[in-house]
Every structure is written in C-alpha cells, then in structure tokens.
C-alpha cells in the first residue's frame, strides 16, 4: 500500500476543545442572511433573544459547521492553492445548544486517488460532542486537491451523490445575498482573503471576491428552514450539498426544492449568470 495513502488515511486528532456563546450563534445566522427583515419575528428568533417578551434563541442547524472552526484531522501537506471544497454532509444528533463547551474528534474517512495530474479527493469527518461526551453533530467534508494524486493509492470509487427527482420542483424560492455578506460571514472563522480582498481575488482568477461556499451551504439550510421545516431547527436530521460554482455577494440564489416524505432534495442556481452553484442537495427532516 502507498505510504502517502497510509499517511493521509491515518490522520486523526481527538479531543480538540472549543467553546461558543450566543454571540457566535447570532453572528452565524446573520452571516447567512437571517434577519434581513428586522420585523420578521420568525427570523428574529435566530438573531435576537427578545427583551420585553423573552424567547429562547434558536440555533441554525448548520452553525455546526463553524462551532469548532479550525478543527481537523491534521496537516495533509497538500498544494493549498489547488484545493477546493467539494461537499458537506452534516448529521444532527440533537439540537445545538445556544452556548456550549464542546470537543471535536476529527479523522480521515477515505482517500480517493484519481491518478497523476487528476488530483485526489480526501473525505474527513469531525464529531462534535458536548461536555457529557454526547454527540451533537457529525460533519463529513470532502476536499478535492487538484494538485495532488497519483501516489499509488487504492483504486476506489466515491459514493454516488444524492439523486435529484426528475419532476418539476415542488417549490422554488429566491434568496437575495447582500453585497457585503462575505465580509460578515468571514467573522465566523474563514478569513480566506479570496472572500474579502479584491486584489487577491483577481490574482486567483475572479473579477471580485466570491462568497464562501460554506455560506452558500448555510443559505440552503436557511431555504429549507423557511419552507418545509417552518423555522423548526430541531427538525433537521441531515443536510448535504455539493459545491459546483461560486456565488458573488449581492447575487440572488434561486433554490429548487422537492419533497418526498421527510427527504427534501434541492439544487441552487444564480439565474443571472446561468450557473448551478449547489448540486445533489438533500435534507432529512424528522
């Protein structure tokens, strides 16, 4: 077996400690656009705790993606310039608390070596646990390292993505992003200058900074929240999406949704540019 494959497959980092408060919870919700209408009580429940009439603050399920920002299985020694985010799959074991001390256990799940000059896909997971050791969420991320691969790993096939129904969407919604949305979302942890520095974005081949893929991921969660979940964050069991193209801050994201029992399938597009930005989306409610 390839030594490089074994090196990557063996990466593991257990017991990483993190903490967050209601401030981070509200910032994330605002970062994905909730509260754009400051009079919408359903959305205010995620960005404001209430004063004269107290109400419990709600936590967006995909806050799990930033609750332990920076956690991971370890240094992979990849060509970072050529690494892109491929997919996120979060399983929710219980609703996230408004504030918590948590631990993150990270490990590599599998390594898919596509061959020389074809890159490698690395799937790794992070399990978030509360102070009692109970699972809160399991996050599986796939990163595509275009500049690596061809080191002799096993010839494995990635699992097939979720299939979108062939019928017309059951619902279609438009979600407007703000021109400054990436500048807000980056405060949740991801300070990659690709999302904030115009000069850096141009050197990377983009006309201007792009929105974080994980912000778009959160926006799709928001789309399911406001439709089939009726703003019930505790209803989420799983949320999966594949990234296919970036969104520019200020664009309108159009989500097509299909409901089959407790499974919500979705895709997202930016119609003004004729591009699909999220493919093979799936939310499981329950």
């Amino acid at each position: 077996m390839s030594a490089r494959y074994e090196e990557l497959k063996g990466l593991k980092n257990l017991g990483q400690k993190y903490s967050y408060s209601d401030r981070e919870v509200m910032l994330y919700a605002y970062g994905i656009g909730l509260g754009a209408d400051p009079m919408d009580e359903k959305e205010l429940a995620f960005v404001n705790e209430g004063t004269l009439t107290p109400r419990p603050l709600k936590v967006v399920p995909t806050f799990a993606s930033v609750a332990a920002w920076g956690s991971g299985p370890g240094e992979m020694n990849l060509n970072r310039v050529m690494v892109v985010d491929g997919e996120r799959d979060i399983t929710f074991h219980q609703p996230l608390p408004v504030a918590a001390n948590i631990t993150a256990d990270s490990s590599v799940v599998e390594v898919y070596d596509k061959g020389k000059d074809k890159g490698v896909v690395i799937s790794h997971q992070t399990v978030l646990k509360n102070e009692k050791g109970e699972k809160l969420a399991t996050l599986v991320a796939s990163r595509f390292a275009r500049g690596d691969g061809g080191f002799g790993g096993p010839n494995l096939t990635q699992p097939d993505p979720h299939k979108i129904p062939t019928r017309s969407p059951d619902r279609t919604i438009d979600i407007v992003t703000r021109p400054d949305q990436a500048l807000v979302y980056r405060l949740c942890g991801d300070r990659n200058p690709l999302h904030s520095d115009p000069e850096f974005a141009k050197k990377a081949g983009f006309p201007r900074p792009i929105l974080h893929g994980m912000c778009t991921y959160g926006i799709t969660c928001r789309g399911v929240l406001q439709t089939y979940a009726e703003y019930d964050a505790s209803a989420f069991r799983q949320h999966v999406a594949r990234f296919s193209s970036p969104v520019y801050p200020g664009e309108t994201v159009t989500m097509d949704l299909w409901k089959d029992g407790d499974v919500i399938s979705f895709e997202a597009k930016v119609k003004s540019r004729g591009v699909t930005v999220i493919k093979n989306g799936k939310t499981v409610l329950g």
Side-chain angles (χ1 to χ4, degrees):
M1 188 63 66
S2 162
R4 178 65 170 136
Y5 172 81
E6 294 290 353
E7 174 193 353
L8 289 170
K9 189 70 185 297
L11 287 176
K12 185 178 295 186
N13 193 357
L14 307 180
Q16 302 164 85
K17 295 183 179 181
Y18 293 87
S19 64
Y20 66 84
S21 69
D22 62 352
R23 179 183 184 279
E24 287 74 33
V25 166
M26 289 186 282
L27 178 61
Y28 176 81
Y30 182 64
I32 63 171
L34 286 166
D37 178 357
M39 296 301 290
D40 186 334
E41 292 287 341
K42 292 180 180 179
E43 294 198 356
L44 276 177
F46 293 89
V47 295
N48 181 279
E49 64 275 18
T51 304
L52 293 179
T53 303
R55 63 164 176 264
L57 185 68
K58 292 184 177 182
V59 183
V60 179
T62 50
F63 171 73
S65 64
V66 300
W69 177 257
S71 61
E75 179 56 55
M76 297 183 183
N77 296 311
L78 303 171
N79 181 351
R80 294 186 179 182
V81 177
M82 300 292 286
V83 175
V84 295
D85 226 338
E87 181 177 353
R88 279 298 187 283
D89 179 347
I90 302 181
T91 297
F92 307 98
H93 304 293
Q94 57 179 292
L96 295 172
V98 172
N101 295 313
I102 60 176
T103 59
D105 294 340
S106 302
S107 59
V108 170
V109 177
E110 193 51 87
V111 180
Y112 303 94
D113 186 358
K114 294 180 174 293
K116 188 176 181 180
D117 300 324
K118 295 182 179 180
V120 60
V121 175
I122 303 170
S123 175
H124 60 91
Q125 75 169 20
T126 297
V127 180
L128 304 182
K129 299 178 181 179
N130 62 19
E131 290 184 289
K132 296 180 181 179
E134 300 169 333
K135 290 183 180 180
L136 295 171
T138 298
L139 296 71
V140 178
S142 293
R143 62 179 68 179
F144 180 30
R146 297 171 293 168
D148 296 86
F151 48 75
N155 185 18
L156 302 175
T157 302
Q158 290 178 256
D160 291 332
H162 173 67
K163 291 184 178 180
I164 298 297
T166 56
R167 68 180 186 274
S168 298
D170 297 324
R171 295 188 69 168
T172 297
I173 60 172
D174 289 331
I175 299 177
V176 179
T177 66
R178 300 187 308 272
D180 66 343
Q181 193 142 355
L183 297 178
V184 176
Y185 185 83
R186 72 189 296 262
L187 301 180
C188 295
D190 187 348
R191 299 208 178 182
N192 185 336
L194 178 61
H195 309 294
S196 60
D197 187 328
E199 182 181 13
F200 187 94
K202 286 181 180 178
K203 284 189 176 182
F206 297 95
R208 56 194 175 98
I210 62 175
L211 193 62
H212 304 70
M214 289 306 295
C215 183
T216 305
Y217 177 76
I219 286 171
T220 62
C221 176
R222 173 187 166 196
V224 178
L225 259 179
Q226 71 184 61
T227 54
Y228 294 111
E230 298 181 344
Y231 290 98
D232 180 5
S234 68
F236 280 68
R237 298 293 176 266
Q238 185 183 24
H239 190 70
V240 186
R242 284 194 168 194
F243 307 107
S244 57
S245 188
V247 173
Y248 289 98
E251 291 185 322
T252 297
V253 175
T254 299
M255 280 187 71
D256 291 331
L257 303 102
W258 295 260
K259 186 178 189 301
D260 294 287
D262 291 333
V263 175
I264 311 300
S265 302
F266 62 87
E267 288 193 336
K269 304 174 183 177
V270 173
K271 288 185 176 179
S272 62
R273 287 189 290 120
V275 296
T276 298
V277 296
I278 293 290
K279 293 182 177 180
N280 307 108
K282 180 180 74 171
T283 301
V284 178
L285 303 175

